[in-house]
Amino acid sequence: MRMRLRKRSLGSQETIFLLKKWALHEKNQFELREVAANIEPKHEKEVNDLINSYKSLFSEWLFVLRCGFALLMYGFGSKKALIEDFATRSLTEYSVVVVNGYLQSINLKQVVITLAELLWDQLKLRRKTTSGNPSKIQQPFNPKSMDDLLAFLDKPDLGDECFVCIIVHNIDGPGLRDSDSQQCLASIAACSHVRMVASIDHVNAPLLWDKKMVHTQFNWYWCHVPTFAPYKAEAMFFPFILAHGGTAQSVKTASIVLQSLTPNAQNVFKVLAEHQLAHSDEEGMPINNLYTTSRERFLVSSQVTLNSHLTEFKDHELIKTKRNSDGQDCLCIPLTKEALQKLIAEII
């Protein structure tokens, strides 16, 4: 559970309640994870045989990488062990960086710095082998500049066989789904001295990329490798749905979060809540309508201001976005009518 409390200090009663809720949540999480860990796996032999059958493809995958393509593994089941086995057996000549996309946050700038440093180490080693002396040439990139790092990774005169590999488990993971992260990953994959191996699990993951990213930057070679293996490592970083509290706790938690925001943000949320109560048969409130109403009430001065409030709501999981039958992006609050009425009464 992730909550950011700011802009006002909480009262003692609220703080005690929140601490109790966190303790209860953590206890439920621990118990559920303990039970899940003790579930006896089924068809273990068949799953292992299936994964082992893919090892015959390792030489083909290495050839594809050397030809300049990026490998994209898809299919039901965790592909983490399979990809790491491929790296251990077939990528021994190259430096490998592993990115766990199933984590909630990832520092892609540090990933690019690491790739550039590993490539530079390869070049120094090669020059030492050929000349007999370690290279004293200064590092040809500025680690503070992303453009410099990417330019070095794409430098044309370093040799065709000189490259580093990046493995991205769950490239469609929660910490990488935004457009900036995907564009950064596409720019990395497009570098001539980088080879990428990635996996996806969400059925709509390809919607993250446009035509240029797929065919020009990532240059995917799609590999259908269903493993039917459990998502043990990936699931460790996601909360169990059964561990969430009931309606009363949801209302109280939402109330605490809203009271930590600015009055204008609270009133924008109230506009959305009132619309949802008055139009319960609709799929949500269109973002354009929310902006118009909020501007008329002098709650926001621009679309940028409204977007900052919506980002705050989404970060705290107070609202959800979905597309209605007319193709419009609509906002809704994931609470029952009774819970929403109670929440509005608490924040007035």
Side-chain angles (χ1 to χ4, degrees):
M1 186 180 72
R2 188 168 57 109
M3 297 180 65
R4 295 181 302 172
L5 303 174
R6 58 185 178 126
K7 298 181 182 174
R8 102 187 203 356
S9 58
L10 296 175
S12 59
Q13 292 298 322
E14 292 172 330
T15 305
I16 292 172
F17 173 84
L18 192 55
L19 290 174
K20 286 181 178 178
K21 176 175 173 56
W22 281 344
L24 178 62
H25 179 83
E26 292 299 325
K27 181 181 179 182
N28 290 343
Q29 288 275 1
F30 177 78
E31 291 176 351
L32 285 171
R33 291 191 187 283
E34 190 175 28
V35 171
N38 292 325
I39 295 176
E40 185 178 348
K42 296 182 178 180
H43 311 294
E44 203 166 5
K45 181 182 180 300
E46 290 80 0
V47 168
N48 289 333
D49 289 344
L50 178 61
I51 295 175
N52 287 331
S53 69
Y54 295 131
K55 293 180 181 179
S56 62
L57 300 173
F58 284 2
S59 58
E60 176 187 330
W61 294 349
L62 180 59
F63 175 75
V64 169
L65 283 177
R66 285 176 170 167
C67 289
F69 292 91
L71 297 174
L72 184 63
M73 311 292 182
Y74 70 100
F76 183 79
S78 173
K79 292 157 284 292
K80 187 175 187 296
L82 174 64
I83 292 175
E84 291 181 354
D85 189 29
F86 166 65
T88 302
R89 293 171 179 267
S90 303
L91 302 179
T92 53
E93 298 179 16
Y94 311 102
S95 300
V96 179
V97 175
V98 179
V99 177
N100 294 319
Y102 49 78
L103 299 179
Q104 297 297 320
S105 59
I106 296 165
N107 188 341
L108 287 179
K109 175 69 176 294
Q110 188 57 50
V111 171
V112 179
I113 292 173
T114 304
L115 288 169
E117 290 177 343
L118 290 173
L119 182 60
W120 176 235
D121 288 341
Q122 277 191 37
L123 291 175
K124 287 194 296 183
L125 182 61
R126 176 173 294 187
R127 289 173 182 173
K128 180 179 179 180
T129 303
T130 55
S131 65
N133 295 313
S135 174
K136 295 183 179 180
I137 301 176
Q138 188 178 4
Q139 190 169 266
F141 56 85
N142 180 1
K144 294 183 180 180
S145 169
M146 183 68 86
D147 291 338
D148 271 7
L149 293 164
L150 292 174
F152 173 67
L153 292 170
D154 199 34
K155 200 173 176 62
D157 56 350
L158 300 184
D160 295 336
E161 287 299 315
C162 190
F163 60 83
V164 290
C165 299
I166 176 173
I167 292 174
V168 188
H169 296 301
N170 300 96
I171 198 171
D172 55 341
L176 297 174
R177 285 178 190 162
D178 59 284
S179 58
D180 289 341
S181 295
Q182 289 297 321
Q183 187 54 64
C184 180
L185 288 167
S187 299
I188 294 171
C191 294
S192 57
H193 300 287
V194 175
R195 298 293 183 269
M196 180 176 287
V197 181
S199 66
I200 57 173
D201 285 289
H202 198 288
V203 66
N204 292 323
L207 297 177
L208 293 170
W209 312 309
D210 57 30
K211 186 176 181 180
K212 177 186 176 184
M213 294 169 73
V214 171
H215 298 294
T216 306
Q217 293 179 296
F218 284 120
N219 200 18
W220 291 127
Y221 181 86
W222 297 73
C223 304
H224 185 221
V225 287
T227 64
F228 298 93
Y231 293 93
K232 288 183 178 179
E234 298 89 336
M236 283 179 62
F237 300 93
F238 285 87
F240 275 92
I241 296 174
L242 294 176
H244 289 305
T247 300
Q249 285 188 337
S250 298
V251 171
K252 186 63 178 179
T253 304
S255 176
I256 292 173
V257 171
L258 285 169
Q259 289 174 30
S260 71
L261 304 180
T262 63
N264 278 358
Q266 294 176 23
N267 286 323
V268 169
F269 184 86
K270 186 180 175 183
V271 169
L272 178 59
E274 290 173 343
H275 179 275
Q276 184 165 317
L277 290 173
H279 305 82
S280 57
D281 57 329
E282 295 183 3
E283 297 173 88
M285 185 177 190
I287 296 178
N288 291 338
N289 293 359
L290 178 61
Y291 172 67
T292 301
T293 305
S294 299
R295 188 178 175 88
E296 289 174 352
R297 298 186 186 183
F298 302 101
L299 301 177
V300 298
S301 57
S302 65
Q303 184 71 47
V304 174
T305 307
L306 177 62
N307 289 341
S308 68
H309 292 324
L310 296 181
T311 299
E312 194 81 56
F313 299 155
K314 290 176 183 176
D315 285 347
H316 294 302
E317 300 180 353
L318 295 175
I319 63 172
K320 290 185 177 180
T321 306
K322 59 182 179 181
R323 186 158 292 181
N324 64 12
S325 54
D326 295 331
Q328 291 180 299
D329 287 332
C330 295
L331 303 168
C332 66
I333 302 169
L335 289 174
T336 63
K337 182 177 180 180
E338 294 74 17
L340 196 52
Q341 289 172 336
K342 186 175 180 181
L343 178 60
I344 291 177
E346 288 192 10
I347 64 174
I348 289 178

